[in-house]
Structure formats: C-alpha cells, structure tokens
Amino acid sequence: MKFAYRVDGRDLTLTLEKTPSGYRARLGDAVHEVEFIGVEGDQIHFRLDGESVRARAAAGPGDRWVALGGRTWRIEKAQAARRAHDAGAGGGQVAAPMPGQVRAVLVAEGDEVTQGQPLLLMEAMKMEIRIAAPRAGRIAALRAAEGATVNKDDILVEIT
Amino acid sequence: MPSGPPAPAPPFARLLIANRGEIAVRLIRACRELGISPIAVYSEADADAPHVRLADAAVLLGPPPAAQSYLDMGKVIAAARQSGAGAVHPGYGFLSENAEFARRVEDAGLVFIGPPADAIARMGDKAAARALMEQNGVPVVPGAQALPDDSALAKAARAIGYPVLVKAAAGGGGKGMRVVHKPGDLAESAAAARREALHAFGDDRLILEKYLAHSRHIEFQILADRHGNTLHLFERECSIQRRHQKVIEETPSPLLDDALRRAMGAAAVAAARAVDYTNAGTVEFIVDPDTRAFYFLEMNTRLQVEHPITEAVTGLDLARWQIRIAAGEPLPFTQDNLHQRGHAIECRLYAEDPASGFLPAAGRLLHFQPPSGPGVRVDSGVQTGSEVGVHYDPLLAKLIVHAEDRPAALQRMQTALAETIALGLATNREFLQDVLAHPVFIAGQAATRFIEDHLPDWRPQEIPAAALIAAALAELHASVVSGRPPADSDPHSPWARPSSFRLGGGR
C-alpha cells in the first residue's frame, strides 16, 4: 500500500507491505519493521523495529494530525494538498493567508497592478496584514468586499 | 460533622461575567468560591462554549462579531439587569478598559469589578498618562505626544532619534503599534497605525516613543482597596513577545535584584496613586538591561492575562480580591506581609502558525488534552470539539507552572508542554518548547526582540518515520472500521480491500 503524504510542504511517500508479523515500512531508503498492536480512542500503539510507540492521531477533513514524543505534525494527504495548492498558487489567484476580515480593498476590477502592489488589507484580531500582488497584471476579479469575513485560502483577487 | 466558622455572606448574589473563553471560566470559579452565582454572556459562535455551560445562567448577546455581542455595552448591561446581577466583571480585552462602560455599569446601579471610570480614562489616554507620570516623578520613555500631522510626527521622530515606536494614543494590547527604523517608512507606518487605532479604539491619535531594541518588559501587579491601601504584588517579566504580544511570562524576573525591585515597585505604586487607582491593575515598564534604568510604558487598568503567575508566587487569588475590593473590603495585609515564593512561568498556547508569521489558525479542535500534575495549572476555555473561530483571540489555554526555583520551573513547563495534546489546528506549542530550550532564555537574558533576534526563521522539526507510520496505520484502521479502502493508497493493491487483510495480523 502506498501512502502519499505532504508534511510542511514536502512530499513523502510511505509504503507498507504485509509481513507475517505486521508490515514492512519503506520511506525513502529506510526500511522499518512494524507490528501493529491496537487503537484505543485516539491512541495508536505499535512496535517500530521492536520499540514500542504510542502516538495520538486525529483525522481532519484533508489531513491527519499526529502527536508523538511531545511534538505534533500535520500530515496532509498529497491529493488534498495538491488541490489546495493548485487553487491558491495558480499564478494569478491571490488567496487569504489567514482567516479574518477584509478591512480595505485598494484596487478595482480592471486596474493594472505591479508586482508587490498592495491589493487589500486584512485584519484578524490584533493584526493588519497587507495582501500584495504576486505578479504584475490586470485585476480580472475581486472576490472580497470590504468588511467581508473570509477563511484561510479563500480566493480574494484574480489577476490576469 | 465538624464545621469551621460560618462562611461570610457573599458580597453579591449574582455577578455577570462580560467575557468569554478561559478568563470567563476562571472568573466563574472565583464566583463559586465566594458563594456568588455566576452569569455568563455569549455570542452565537459560543453557544456550546465551556463558559456558557459552567455558569448558572447565560444570556445571548447577538451574532459572532464582537461589535454586535461582547463589545455592545447596551446589550451587556441589559443582560446584567435582566439576570438580576449586582455586579459586572469585564475580564480582559473587550470592554475591560472602556471608561464609558465602567460609568454606564455604575449608572445602572451595578458594581463594576475594576477601577473607577476616571482612573481608566486617565490611564487609557497614553498621551495624558505620559504627562501625568512625568509630573509624579515616574520615569517615562523619551518620546512625544500631541502630534497633529505627519510633519509634526516626522519632526518629533527626528528629535527622538530612530528607531521610534508609533503607538495609538488610545491604545493597548499591541494594536496600532509599529516600529519605524528609518524616516522613509514613517508615513506609511503611521497611516497603518492610525487605521488600526481608529478601527480598534475609534481614535486615531498617535504618540511616539524611542524604540529601545534590547529592552526588557517588566510589569508590576497592583492591588489597591477603597480605603487608601495601595500595594504591589511584585513583578512579571514578559519579554518574550511576538507582534508586541506576550507569549511567555515569568516571575520573579531574572533581571531584577532586590534594590531595583523595590525602586520599581515604589514607582508602580506612585503611578497607581496618581490616578486614585483601586482594584487590580498592572503598571508596565521597560528596563534597559545595560543601564538598569526603567521607564513607565502604560498602566493596564484590568486583570492581566498573565495574572496566574503572580497568584502562584504570592499565594493570593487576584480574581477573588478584585471582587472583594469592589464590595468594599479592606486589604488585611501590608506590603511587608507580601513575599515571592518560588518561581512561576506561564505559556500561552495559541492557535497560530509560528512558521508563517504567527498567523492565527481557525478550525475544529479535534483533540485537546491539557497537562496536569504537581505545580501545574491550566486555564482554558476550549475542549475537544471546540470550534476556534476568526472573531476572537486565538488563545486556547494558558499553562502555568510553579516550582521552587527557575530551573525547576523550566523543567516543569517543558514537561507540561510535552504532555499537552492539541490536534486539528496549528498551535505554537513546539515554538514555546524551543524558546524555553534556547540558551539565551535559559540564561535569563531574553529581551523583547528575542524572537526576531534568535528564532526569526523558526521551522518545526522534521517528521520522524514513526509519526508517518502512525498516520498510515491510523488511516488503515479507520478504513477497516468504515469498510472503505484508505483514500490515498493504491486502489489496485490487494491490501486495500478490507476483506483481504486483517490489520495487525489477527491480533
């Protein structure tokens, strides 16, 4: 079985092959023997190369969160991550970097903009963030109005 | 059953808590201990929040935006009257430093749990407060107020010398604050600060201060009753900040010795007396570690987020004393009775991503398990399943530890952070762990620019194979339980069909 993940912007492929006692895990050049012990609530217990591992895991919409050894990782499924990436970084699309409120819209549809020109001001609680044009072009669509509440990754502006 | 002396009658039968989140929960507990019935308020976004369920009654204020709920004075006061409350506690943030609100609460025949409206107004105007402090012999940061336009601003900045700090005159909490390093950036930073200030406070006046890059932020807790007793409960060092907002606080400060502590404590008491302060408040100073000179920054006329570390080392319950002082009780102790015992640290666990500029995160908290154990206190307003929204501060919980000395407190906090599990949202937990493990922080030498200077490009640790394998096993297990193959596995693999394999080899 192949698991295509993305963690912190990096693509990682893990394979698990069935063995008599559990699985053989391959990650890059490394090979590990895995013996699954059980799942209890959000706790997953297994042996990795003979060492007992207890991790916490929870599934979100397109990702899985794992806490292990005092650290936490967000593990995106690569398909979901690619979709989100394509939606956000498709050249002229400008997405909200955080959830919050649109405080000011500084451009109008049809405007010519230069790279780095401020397009919008957003605010989330105590911070004002300036959203700048990723490249030069013309404003093809303005998807956010002043005062609108937006979620992270919502498309705010399209530049052609 | 043996019984002690009869409990004194509660000062109020019912008290309305005009806040949400962890501070509302903390104040509900203070009410319970005093025999007061706590009344909560909430917005539509908080209908299932812990503070709503813990209170005896809860009044819906309105839609999620704070302006239509927690910041709507008329609705809050109406809720207090409707629920029969005799007093209103504003918590921190929202209406807590709004003099008009304090006045309107009193005008409605209710007791405001905080300082007199006049003291809030006088300290709230940063420009007037600076002038008043100077008159009362409290040192202030070199700076300027009453700056009508950009040319006055530029002239004052030149006189003070760059870098300068542009601040909202009506400000607080880091809003409307900008560091400006060169004259060319002044106009744009001032415009942004004015916009933030106008939005947050309805007042776009600015003040300028000399920006002291390597200063330490050290504040003193004040407790003053209505009978002329004004005491300080020692310091809290809050130098670890991002975006001018605190993330780690500790007491005692590793910088202060007894002489400096006494001098700053006396200045803090003088600052409070200058505005006839009563109830709990905090006088903030910045300290130059080289010259050991200290300067008044501002007074926060409310309970601070970081008040629990003072409670830990002094043994006094600040929230309870706030209520008792407001009810007219005199403080039964003097300055000489107060001592700092051991060392306490607070870490603020935020839903935010330290790897991308500390941008706030929103979403569902899939799993939350706070730490526990000797000397560990958790003040939290969320639980597993809570939605963390965009409308309010993304503070999930405050972790507070108390131990015999600073090294022991650091170890205790590291253990508590490692034990904390928060899944489903980006949090700053790992970042906090890395700050506490940094040699400069361990040495007690971290200044307010610590994060920019020492952890500017912080990244999370690389994921170990064990964590990826845990994710894959969890996915497999979920697919077996649901009878569907794991979404991203190879659909042609025989192992992907639930009937064809048994997870764990039949165990």
Side-chain angles (χ1 to χ4, degrees):
Chain A
M1 283 159 287
K2 210 164 120 184
F3 296 86
Y5 290 133
R6 177 173 290 187
V7 183
D8 199 16
R10 230 158 53 101
D11 285 317
L12 297 165
T13 303
L14 175 77
T15 59
L16 293 183
E17 295 159 37
K18 194 80 189 77
T19 63
S21 65
Y23 302 95
R24 183 162 299 125
R26 291 178 198 276
L27 178 64
D29 297 335
V31 180
H32 303 280
E33 296 300 321
V34 178
E35 191 187 339
F36 178 77
I37 296 169
V39 167
E40 237 179 275
D42 64 334
Q43 185 163 268
I44 183 151
H45 189 191
F46 57 99
R47 257 189 278 279
L48 179 66
D49 300 326
E51 298 281 330
S52 171
V53 178
R54 286 173 196 273
R56 301 294 187 108
D63 54 17
R64 200 170 285 272
W65 296 77
V66 173
L68 178 64
R71 298 265 158 174
T72 307
W73 290 274
R74 176 178 181 227
I75 299 166
E76 289 177 276
K77 298 185 181 178
Q79 284 176 357
R82 257 195 307 278
R83 273 195 301 273
H85 185 78
D86 291 348
Q93 292 189 321
V94 182
M98 62 176 184
Q101 215 183 15
V102 177
R103 189 87 354 265
V105 178
L106 308 173
V107 291
E109 277 182 19
D111 283 3
E112 293 290 334
V113 296
T114 55
Q115 187 179 352
Q117 180 178 338
L119 304 175
L120 305 158
L121 298 176
M122 271 187 70
E123 195 198 85
M125 283 312 289
K126 301 179 175 178
M127 289 158 34
E128 188 185 89
I129 304 276
R130 197 169 66 174
I131 315 286
R135 60 175 177 78
R138 198 174 53 81
I139 305 294
L142 261 179
R143 304 265 196 89
E146 206 162 299
T149 300
V150 299
N151 284 313
K152 181 170 164 29
D153 296 331
D154 281 359
I155 304 300
L156 305 174
V157 181
E158 285 182 40
I159 301 173
T160 53
Chain B
M1 205 172 81
S3 62
F12 310 101
R14 279 188 284 278
L15 186 150
L16 183 116
I17 296 158
N19 216 299
R20 65 180 299 282
E22 66 85 19
I23 192 62
V25 171
R26 192 259 174 274
L27 295 171
I28 287 169
R29 293 196 172 114
C31 287
R32 293 254 180 254
E33 290 172 14
L34 291 168
I36 299 168
S37 171
I39 314 292
V41 291
Y42 66 102
S43 76
E44 284 160 9
D46 283 336
D48 296 320
H51 80 276
V52 174
R53 274 177 289 109
L54 285 169
D56 284 347
V59 182
L60 175 65
L61 294 175
Q68 295 167 56
S69 50
Y70 298 103
L71 282 173
D72 188 321
M73 294 187 223
K75 285 180 182 169
V76 172
I77 292 168
R81 302 188 79 152
Q82 171 200 328
S83 56
V88 174
H89 196 307
Y92 57 70
F94 296 127
L95 296 168
S96 62
E97 291 184 281
N98 187 311
E100 187 195 341
F101 178 67
R103 208 168 282 132
R104 284 176 64 177
V105 167
E106 299 277 340
D107 288 349
L110 308 167
V111 173
F112 180 75
I113 310 289
D118 182 58
I120 299 176
R122 292 166 77 188
M123 281 298 187
D125 187 322
K126 304 302 166 206
R130 273 179 62 91
L132 184 65
M133 291 305 115
E134 282 182 301
Q135 285 160 31
N136 282 269
V138 178
V140 299
V141 187
Q145 56 254 13
L147 303 158
D149 52 35
D150 276 1
S151 78
L153 202 64
K155 199 173 151 213
R158 231 179 1 258
I160 296 161
Y162 285 87
V164 293
L165 194 59
V166 177
K167 280 168 101 171
K175 290 189 194 182
M177 203 140 99
R178 290 283 189 288
V179 179
V180 185
H181 292 277
K182 50 184 196 291
D185 296 342
L186 185 65
E188 195 194 337
S189 292
R194 281 199 192 96
R195 265 195 308 274
E196 267 180 43
L198 190 64
H199 177 59
F201 313 109
D203 177 347
D204 67 357
R205 284 176 306 133
L206 299 178
I207 62 170
L208 268 188
E209 278 176 2
K210 172 90 192 153
Y211 179 64
L212 299 167
H214 296 286
S215 62
R216 310 274 289 251
H217 177 116
I218 299 175
E219 60 188 29
F220 274 70
Q221 176 67 50
I222 293 291
L223 209 50
D225 66 18
R226 294 181 164 191
H227 308 274
N229 301 304
T230 304
L231 309 177
H232 73 81
L233 274 62
F234 311 102
E235 79 278 13
R236 292 182 289 258
E237 171 147 12
C238 319
S239 294
I240 306 297
Q241 308 183 354
R242 49 112 186 84
R243 298 181 181 281
H244 306 293
Q245 285 185 287
K246 303 158 188 170
V247 278
I248 298 177
E249 301 98 345
E250 65 180 311
T251 182
S253 160
L255 184 71
L256 298 195
D257 55 23
D258 282 341
L260 188 50
R261 181 173 290 117
R262 262 197 303 276
M264 291 178 71
V269 168
R273 284 193 190 280
V275 292
D276 300 315
Y277 200 84
T278 63
N279 216 285
T282 294
V283 180
E284 295 188 336
F285 296 101
I286 58 173
V287 183
D288 183 333
D290 301 325
T291 63
R292 300 177 79 77
F294 62 90
Y295 306 99
F296 171 88
L297 206 55
E298 61 183 37
M299 182 168 190
N300 294 317
T301 53
R302 54 169 161 87
L303 192 65
Q304 299 275 99
V305 176
E306 59 272 22
H307 75 275
I309 57 173
T310 297
E311 296 185 324
V313 299
T314 62
L316 294 170
D317 187 308
L318 285 169
R320 285 178 57 150
W321 272 113
Q322 280 196 291
I323 298 170
R324 295 170 69 176
I325 287 170
E329 255 191 75
L331 293 172
F333 40 78
T334 64
Q335 192 67 58
D336 292 340
N337 298 140
L338 301 176
H339 303 282
Q340 293 167 296
R341 191 180 142 270
H343 197 94
I345 303 175
E346 174 180 279
C347 282
R348 302 190 189 183
L349 185 68
Y350 279 108
E352 67 181 18
D353 185 1
S356 49
F358 302 96
L359 291 184
R364 183 179 294 275
L365 194 50
L366 298 171
H367 184 76
F368 181 58
Q369 187 183 301
S372 60
V376 177
R377 165 177 170 181
V378 179
D379 282 16
S380 122
V382 296
Q383 57 194 8
T384 294
S386 289
E387 277 293 336
V388 178
V390 301
H391 295 287
Y392 317 112
D393 194 71
L395 180 65
L396 297 176
K398 306 186 308 204
L399 314 185
I400 304 107
V401 299
H402 186 211
E404 57 208 76
D405 56 22
R406 190 170 187 265
L410 282 174
Q411 288 165 340
R412 184 159 279 173
M413 183 57 90
Q414 285 286 22
T415 307
L417 283 167
E419 223 182 90
T420 304
I421 295 174
L423 303 179
L425 290 166
T427 76
N428 64 342
R429 181 180 70 140
E430 280 78 5
F431 182 79
L432 293 167
Q433 290 173 304
D434 291 351
V435 172
L436 295 180
H438 196 283
V440 171
F441 184 83
I442 290 172
Q445 289 167 352
T448 49
R449 275 180 51 90
F450 172 83
I451 291 175
E452 292 100 307
D453 287 347
H454 299 287
L455 296 169
D457 301 309
W458 184 87
R459 303 294 307 166
Q461 277 180 15
E462 209 165 290
I463 190 164
L468 271 184
I469 291 167
L473 291 175
E475 205 174 310
L476 272 180
H477 184 262
S479 73
V480 171
V481 172
S482 71
R484 279 179 300 150
D488 280 330
S489 64
D490 178 359
H492 305 298
S493 158
W495 309 117
R497 276 188 280 282
S499 57
S500 66
F501 77 98
R502 287 163 74 200
L503 201 60
R507 215 170 255 269

